[in-house]
Amino acid sequence: DIFRAACTECHYSSEFSDSQFKFKWSRRSAGNLYQLIQTSMPETAPGSLSDDETVDIVSYIMRMNGFEPGSGELSSDRAVLDGISLSSIRNQ
């Protein structure tokens, strides 16, 4: 719901799992994605998303790219997110 409300005004969900996205983000971490979304999205109100909203969007994008949900909620702690490599999306 948050993705739909905050992102789909400017983006299609398919943009976040296409080959261009995978090429760009497979060398980065979930923390990098979180940082980008947190500081520059949505384009009409950059920085307006809460930590929980941002991490929910990151989690949704990760699921679209084949990441299996874990046993708990994804943390918004940057150190935790920085430790999650997105390299596996390259093979999806």
Side-chain angles (χ1 to χ4, degrees):
D1 291 338
I2 294 167
F3 180 88
R4 195 174 15 253
C7 307
T8 58
E9 185 175 312
C10 300
H11 300 282
Y12 295 105
S13 59
S14 61
E15 291 176 55
F16 298 97
S17 59
D18 66 12
S19 60
Q20 187 176 13
F21 178 86
K22 291 177 180 189
F23 178 78
K24 177 179 180 178
W25 287 94
S26 67
R27 290 175 246 136
R28 299 182 183 178
S29 71
N32 298 132
L33 183 57
Y34 178 92
Q35 178 73 27
L36 175 74
I37 295 168
Q38 181 72 28
T39 60
S40 62
M41 298 293 156
E43 290 180 354
T44 56
S48 64
L49 296 170
S50 71
D51 291 345
D52 288 341
E53 290 170 327
T54 304
V55 81
D56 285 347
I57 292 169
V58 169
S59 178
Y60 180 67
I61 292 170
M62 289 173 68
R63 281 196 311 270
M64 281 193 290
N65 284 284
F67 282 83
E68 293 293 326
S71 59
E73 299 255 336
L74 186 61
S75 173
S76 62
D77 182 319
R78 262 311 289 280
V80 171
L81 293 170
D82 284 342
I84 301 172
S85 171
L86 298 178
S87 63
S88 68
I89 68 172
R90 172 182 26 203
N91 302 321
Q92 298 295 324

